Amino acid sequence: MEPGCSATTVREVREAPGGWRGLVARAMARSLTTFVVPDARMAREAGIDLAAAGLQPVATPRHASVLLVIGDVPPGLADAVTVVYAQMPRPRTVLALGTQMTGLLPAANITVPLNQKGLERGVAQVRARISSQPEASADDVFTAQVLDAADDDDGGMDKGEMHHHEGNDGEHGDEDDDATNPHAGHDMDDSAIDDGDGSMDHGDMDHDMMGGGGMSMVSMTQDLPRSPDGLPMEWSEVAFGPLFPGLPAGLASTLTLDGDTVVDALSSGAMDRAILSSLPGPVASFPDRLVAVDPLAPVAYRILAMKALANVNGASIFPPANVPWVAACERERAASHLGWLAGFGELLGYDWMAAQAAALHLALVRAPDISSIKAIRPDVDRFLRDMSRNPMLRLRLAGIGTLDPGSEASGPVARGSGKRGDARNDDHSSVEAGFYPIVQDAGDVLARFRVRLAEISLSLDMVAGAETLSLPDLSVQADFRGTGWAVVETPRGSATLQIDVQDGHVRTAHVDAPSAVHAKLVSQVVDQAELADALIGIASLDLSPWEMDG
Amino acid sequence: MTVFQQYGLLVAFFISTVGLVATLHLIARSLGRNRHEPGKDVPYTGGTLAPKPVWVRYHFHYYGFALLFLAFDMEMAFMYPWAVVYRELGIAALLDMGVFLAILFLGILYGWSQGALRRQ
Amino acid sequence: MIVIIVVMSLLIATYVVAVLEAWVATGHLRPAGPLMSGMALLGRESIIPRQPDRLFFEIAPPLLLLAAVGAAMVLPLAPDVVVIDLATGGLFVNAAWVYVLVALIMAGWGPDGAYAMVAGWRFLAQLVAYSMLIVMPITAVAMRAESLSMTTIVQSQVGSWNVVTQPLGFLLFWLAAMAACFLPPFDHPLAPAEVAGGVTAEYTGVRLLVFRLGRLLLIVTLAIAVVVFFLGGWHGPWLPAWAWTATKTLAVVAVMLVTGRFLPRLRSEHLMAWSWKLGVPLALANILWTGITLWMVDR
């Protein structure tokens, strides 16, 4: 520090540290690992290739050095992002793409536009930042209100299914002796007899103590939940929270685990955007507002809005040459299924499948017109052939996640269980473009997987027969009024929209999204499944937590 | 090398490995101390703050296999010396050990038939 | 002197395996990759989770490294290039590998985190599946060599390698070796998308570095063991002995890494069922087969 420098200047000066620290700083700048918020699928939907930009995605914030935020963070995920950032070891950087992260903690260190060039610029800035400032300065401790609960030190005795036995660890001094659980009972016996304090401590807990010392295994275990094989073991509720690598981002799941078997699961959307209350408004911009309901299927929701408006008062003012919207819808379906396959491959630990599906998803999302889609068609076909013939996948996926979808389910979830329901059945232009419903009977994960594989192929066939991918314009008169209804087959299932229009304004809009219905099937899918199989079952439902907002 | 020298060298290696780990820890510490911040030390559970302890009476579902494993492990302890002298002893040794193996193999078959060889 | 040669060779082999693993995973060959990530890990904070089992949490990564080092001490890289030529080498190496289980269970239990705990116990299931398939082929190999000393085992393969005379044992040992160092498709304790990093989920900074180093060295020792037990060790026509060991070891590692990329993770129940219903009977058959063929050769 040179004499004459003011205190503020010293803090703001970023000099590259020399010697040993500089070397390490440069090494850190060159091996960037990233935790993606919301998830990698949203990155690909935005046309971003992480590996090409030099970022290596990891599964846990503990291994990450860069927090990559893609698009605006929904209000429900704000806390989760704060917690995830707090769990990252220093030095850490927040790189925000296409969002300013206003009002959110943590603040973005580097903000760039949401495209590949922006990402590459952002990564270069991150590298410069890390090599010049390897360690955050001592006074900026990251705090947030949601994190204050973490320092709460009450010993945690009031946890769901957790039983009093967990108190053994603290009170009998055998923390390290966990492998001898069968002896825990005997140890408790001895110490309960040997020291009076033991029985007084036990008095606080909720089990029966017979007299001063005689405790049998029967009484100790009588309140414990019983597994199907009859053993009394302790179950634990584990959050596979909104930002879990194997599940869609924003799906807050709580799984009750009996060892590594999932006994029960509860999944809910955590986005909390209250999107449905923002739908009423001017008719001309209504499709744009409806598209915000599900960023994973924007084309399908735009078409839904346009169809509903066109069907107001039963009159169909939709342009007659409506094959173009079929092509756009089917292209989105193929892209969505490929994106789902990439995430599914990662969940299966099948790196080759995940990498190929991700590359094809990205190529399809980036393809500007039908001829470029035709150009990638051979690669897609080869990939689909490899996947459908693969004996390892058949072995892995057969027989797990079997469910009975019920009458309200739709999409691949229903068609994988033998139900032929598809909104495109009644749609003349889809049928003309070559649509037929693809149905499998087994009702398990393999069936839904096969349905989606076949739908990719069918959708790309339908796209190939069209002339353009762009959607037609909507033309609406000024004194437009009435009620309209429409249904569209989104990649996940049938979505219906009911609107009430008066004086050129949409007064009420009611959306029934498929994921909200399918989320109720989660407990069926995971019933007594091993953890990996349960997660694969949940993933096979292809839930979109964006649609699951109230 | 005598046996003592061999095991002495082994112990020396273990100690130097521990020393290597300690050196790495010292290097890491010299590069910057940890900073305690709220929420940093809570285990990651997908964006929520994990409830406190997870140490439960864990239900391991493959105890049928584990019991068989114990039996076979004890058998392998007998097989090591047998394997080393097998060629000297000739075919009779194979028959002797074969009886032992067959009895244990019957154990696998019995367990299989009783449903022990599956996820409980 | 020999000690220094062995240590340097193992370090180089570990580094090359790290480069290979990154190459298979990402498709890019980055020779300076592991060095950069290693130094980067040193520079990051090492977080200790709240209310951990501190002893287990601290011991687990060095124990993994120690287990690999223990196994590496008895593996011969060339005639007379072995740190300790134990008379009970085959037994010792198995005992060293078992400490991998202890390390992983400690790593799973220590941080008091849900994902790590499930992953640690899953590795126990994996050990119950693969352990017999490591020990039984070693026994068959020792029958041929009449000794458990690793050097003698290599020397017994002068005429024909064990992969030719005991193909079943080779196959089972290969698969069990992949399971023992939890490479895909047996990577249950580390599964990124199922348990968010599993046993490594709560490790950061220097502890993660030690853990990864231990795992890489473990992969190297298992590959060298495959070469020593079944692929003739240092035997081969024109190249010097150490070159053959190096080539064979790297080939084994490369094949293991590449096959892992093209297979989905095995279901635990399938792993257990196949190992005990199919694997152990085949291993016993392999011992029987070896016994009969040796008797016929010795007549």
Side-chain angles (χ1 to χ4, degrees):
Chain A
M1 179 165 140
E2 293 165 317
C5 280
S6 66
T8 48
T9 321
V10 166
R11 196 189 303 174
E12 285 158 12
V13 160
R14 301 259 187 266
E15 296 180 1
W20 188 219
R21 284 180 183 234
L23 205 59
V24 172
R26 280 193 292 279
M28 283 197 284
R30 281 173 62 174
S31 39
L32 293 178
T33 51
T34 174
F35 187 80
V36 185
V37 170
D39 58 5
R41 185 169 177 180
M42 287 300 293
R44 286 193 302 269
E45 296 275 343
I48 288 176
D49 186 356
L50 291 174
L55 292 175
Q56 182 201 349
V58 288
T60 156
R62 299 258 192 236
H63 298 170
S65 55
V66 177
L67 185 70
L68 188 67
V69 181
I70 297 183
D72 286 323
V73 176
L77 289 188
D79 280 349
V81 170
T82 311
V83 168
V84 160
Y85 179 74
Q87 290 171 342
M88 287 170 66
R90 295 171 166 225
R92 54 196 174 186
T93 315
V94 180
L95 175 57
L97 268 62
T99 172
Q100 299 294 327
M101 290 186 74
T102 48
L104 277 184
L105 285 171
N109 294 119
I110 292 164
T111 311
V112 286
L114 182 53
N115 50 42
Q116 186 72 18
K117 275 207 161 2
L119 178 64
E120 286 169 6
R121 241 186 26 230
V123 168
Q125 290 180 32
V126 167
R127 291 210 164 112
R129 182 173 189 270
I130 291 183
S131 29
S132 65
Q133 189 205 21
E135 202 182 307
S137 55
D139 54 352
D140 54 350
V141 170
F142 179 68
T143 56
Q145 196 181 10
V146 66
L147 299 172
D148 290 337
D151 277 340
D152 185 18
D153 234 295
D154 64 334
M157 300 296 272
D158 56 343
K159 181 173 169 278
E161 298 285 312
M162 288 289 305
H163 208 253
H164 48 80
H165 289 287
E166 122 215 1
N168 287 352
D169 296 295
E171 291 176 61
H172 295 276
D174 2 316
E175 290 107 275
D176 298 347
D177 212 6
D178 45 271
T180 60
N181 262 324
H183 297 296
H186 301 297
D187 289 343
M188 272 187 78
D189 246 336
D190 291 342
S191 49
I193 295 172
D194 289 347
D195 59 332
D197 288 345
S199 51
M200 277 206 298
D201 290 337
H202 293 304
D204 292 339
M205 300 188 274
D206 54 324
H207 64 73
D208 26 280
M209 269 292 287
M210 295 184 279
M215 281 239 292
S216 64
M217 287 294 283
V218 170
S219 62
M220 270 168 50
T221 61
Q222 73 182 21
D223 294 328
L224 289 180
R226 290 300 199 271
S227 316
D229 61 353
L231 290 178
M233 292 290 182
E234 289 173 346
W235 296 355
S236 49
E237 287 192 11
V238 180
F240 281 72
L243 296 174
F244 185 75
L247 295 177
L251 187 70
S253 306
T254 311
L255 270 55
T256 308
L257 290 178
D258 166 28
D260 61 347
T261 299
V262 178
V263 172
D264 192 18
L266 191 64
S267 286
S268 59
M271 299 295 194
D272 277 348
R273 294 172 303 157
I275 203 84
L276 296 180
S277 57
S278 71
L279 288 178
V283 161
S285 54
F286 178 66
D288 296 325
R289 291 198 301 280
L290 194 68
V291 161
V293 167
D294 188 2
L296 291 176
V299 171
Y301 275 88
R302 183 177 296 277
I303 292 169
L304 183 65
M306 286 159 57
K307 271 184 141 181
L309 288 172
N311 292 341
V312 164
N313 292 334
S316 188
I317 60 172
F318 218 52
N322 45 16
V323 176
W325 69 261
V326 170
C329 193
E330 295 304 317
R331 177 257 191 93
E332 180 183 73
R333 185 184 322 278
S336 174
H337 287 335
L338 281 171
W340 173 80
L341 274 175
F344 197 63
E346 277 181 30
L347 187 56
L348 287 177
Y350 200 171
D351 292 334
W352 174 68
M353 169 184 168
Q356 291 235 295
L360 290 172
H361 180 215
L362 202 55
L364 192 54
V365 163
R366 284 176 172 175
D369 52 27
I370 294 190
S371 52
S372 37
I373 294 181
K374 283 185 183 159
I376 63 174
R377 191 66 201 278
D379 291 329
V380 175
D381 282 337
R382 196 177 335 127
F383 173 68
L384 292 176
R385 217 174 33 237
D386 290 334
M387 290 297 107
S388 47
R389 282 203 211 140
N390 195 323
M392 302 296 305
L393 278 178
R394 205 181 316 140
L395 206 56
R396 178 70 183 86
L397 301 177
I400 59 178
T402 317
L403 56 73
D404 173 23
S407 54
E408 289 184 356
S410 56
V413 173
R415 291 196 287 278
S417 305
K419 298 189 171 14
R420 303 189 79 83
D422 192 317
R424 293 170 287 171
N425 280 334
D426 304 320
D427 184 60
H428 183 63
S429 40
S430 296
V431 173
E432 263 195 10
F435 164 75
Y436 59 92
I438 294 172
V439 175
Q440 291 265 334
D441 289 320
D444 57 7
V445 172
L446 183 64
R448 296 193 276 281
F449 177 77
R450 283 184 168 154
V451 166
R452 291 191 181 102
L453 284 181
E455 283 190 353
I456 294 176
S457 184
L458 176 63
S459 293
L460 289 178
D461 284 336
M462 290 165 74
V463 167
E467 288 134 21
T468 150
L469 283 176
S470 51
L471 289 176
D473 290 325
L474 180 70
S475 52
V476 163
Q477 307 99 308
D479 57 347
F480 190 43
R481 65 205 323 246
T483 59
W485 180 90
V487 63
V488 151
E489 186 76 8
T490 68
R492 279 160 206 88
S494 306
T496 61
L497 173 65
Q498 172 106 22
I499 54 173
D500 181 38
V501 182
Q502 286 173 23
D503 302 326
H505 268 67
V506 174
R507 295 291 169 204
T508 59
H510 182 75
V511 178
D512 276 323
S515 297
V517 173
H518 295 161
K520 301 190 191 115
L521 298 172
V522 163
S523 50
Q524 254 193 70
V525 159
V526 303
D527 190 37
Q528 294 296 330
E530 194 231 330
L531 178 63
D533 296 343
L535 290 174
I536 288 174
I538 297 179
S540 74
L541 296 176
D542 196 8
L543 298 170
S544 169
W546 304 92
E547 291 179 339
M548 286 161 67
D549 276 343
Chain B
M1 231 192 271
T2 71
V3 174
F4 270 133
Q5 282 174 324
Q6 287 183 329
Y7 283 109
L9 191 52
L10 190 69
V11 170
F13 253 97
F14 284 159
I15 295 176
S16 35
T17 309
V18 173
L20 169 72
V21 172
T23 313
L24 287 175
H25 273 263
L26 283 177
I27 295 176
R29 188 174 255 207
S30 79
L31 288 171
R33 293 296 217 102
N34 291 358
R35 178 103 198 129
H36 180 75
E37 291 167 318
K40 175 178 280 187
D41 51 4
V42 179
Y44 166 68
T45 52
T48 53
L49 286 173
K52 293 246 161 199
V54 204
W55 291 324
V56 294
R57 180 197 291 244
Y58 189 89
H59 191 176
F60 179 69
H61 293 276
Y62 300 108
Y63 42 82
F65 295 98
L67 288 173
L68 271 176
F69 166 78
L70 273 179
F72 272 84
D73 220 13
M74 292 300 104
E75 171 210 346
M76 294 317 295
F78 291 112
M79 288 203 64
Y80 276 122
W82 170 83
V84 168
V85 298
Y86 170 72
R87 280 176 106 163
E88 283 175 42
L89 298 176
I91 196 71
L94 188 65
L95 295 173
D96 288 336
M97 186 51 87
V99 169
F100 185 31
L101 290 178
I103 294 175
L104 281 171
F105 187 64
L106 286 177
I108 291 188
L109 292 180
Y110 173 72
W112 192 342
S113 71
Q114 298 295 312
L117 291 190
R118 60 180 170 79
R119 185 183 164 84
Q120 306 291 339
Chain C
M1 191 53 217
I2 302 240
V3 164
I4 297 181
I5 294 178
V6 170
V7 168
M8 292 308 302
S9 321
L10 288 175
L11 281 176
I12 295 175
T14 309
Y15 192 84
V16 172
V17 168
V19 172
L20 276 179
E21 198 175 19
W23 191 8
V24 168
T26 60
H28 299 300
L29 181 61
R30 292 181 61 204
L35 190 61
M36 294 289 122
S37 343
M39 290 204 296
L41 279 174
L42 277 179
R44 301 178 64 71
E45 276 183 321
S46 301
I47 301 174
I48 301 174
R50 52 117 184 89
Q51 293 186 351
D53 190 321
R54 191 65 192 271
L55 185 68
F56 281 8
F57 186 72
E58 298 288 355
I59 287 184
L63 185 59
L64 183 63
L65 187 57
L66 281 174
V69 164
M73 293 297 99
V74 294
L75 292 170
L77 304 178
D80 295 332
V81 180
V82 55
V83 175
I84 309 168
D85 190 13
L86 274 186
T88 54
L91 178 59
F92 183 83
V93 86
N94 189 45
W97 287 330
V98 168
Y99 276 91
V100 171
L101 169 76
V102 180
L104 285 196
I105 291 204
M106 285 183 174
W109 186 268
D112 198 7
Y115 303 156
M117 183 149 92
V118 170
W121 292 117
R122 282 168 111 187
F123 186 71
L124 174 62
Q126 205 167 304
L127 176 116
V128 169
Y130 75 70
S131 186
M132 282 299 111
L133 302 180
I134 289 219
V135 170
M136 289 185 182
I138 293 183
T139 312
V141 161
M143 282 164 75
R144 184 178 179 197
E146 290 186 83
S147 160
L148 281 171
S149 152
M150 309 283 255
T151 323
T152 318
I153 290 177
V154 174
Q155 281 159 354
S156 76
Q157 296 180 62
V158 168
S160 56
W161 296 352
N162 282 332
V163 62
V164 171
T165 60
Q166 300 172 22
L168 206 49
F170 170 70
L171 183 63
L172 294 172
F173 188 81
W174 177 286
L175 292 172
M178 283 177 75
C181 54
F182 42 100
L183 280 174
F186 302 106
D187 60 344
H188 294 91
L190 288 187
E194 285 171 18
V195 282
V199 288
T200 61
E202 298 301 323
Y203 281 114
T204 58
V206 63
R207 295 189 187 92
L208 185 62
L209 173 64
V210 173
F211 192 97
R212 288 191 175 157
L213 192 60
R215 177 167 180 253
L216 288 168
L217 187 58
L218 181 66
I219 298 176
V220 168
T221 59
L222 279 160
I224 297 180
V226 170
V227 167
V228 160
F229 286 137
F230 291 98
L231 292 177
W234 58 74
H235 290 133
W238 316 286
L239 297 174
W242 57 265
W244 270 118
T245 314
T247 317
K248 291 180 196 176
T249 308
L250 288 179
V252 167
V253 172
V255 174
M256 283 184 178
L257 291 173
V258 167
T259 53
R261 183 172 169 75
F262 290 97
L263 292 173
R265 191 172 302 124
L266 213 52
R267 276 172 81 180
S268 299
E269 20 194 277
H270 285 168
L271 174 62
M272 302 292 288
W274 293 347
S275 152
W276 280 94
K277 293 180 186 173
L278 192 61
V280 167
L282 284 180
L284 292 174
N286 177 53
I287 292 180
L288 194 65
W289 165 261
T290 309
I292 294 177
T293 51
L294 285 176
W295 169 63
M296 285 176 25
V297 159
D298 286 341
R299 271 216 305 179

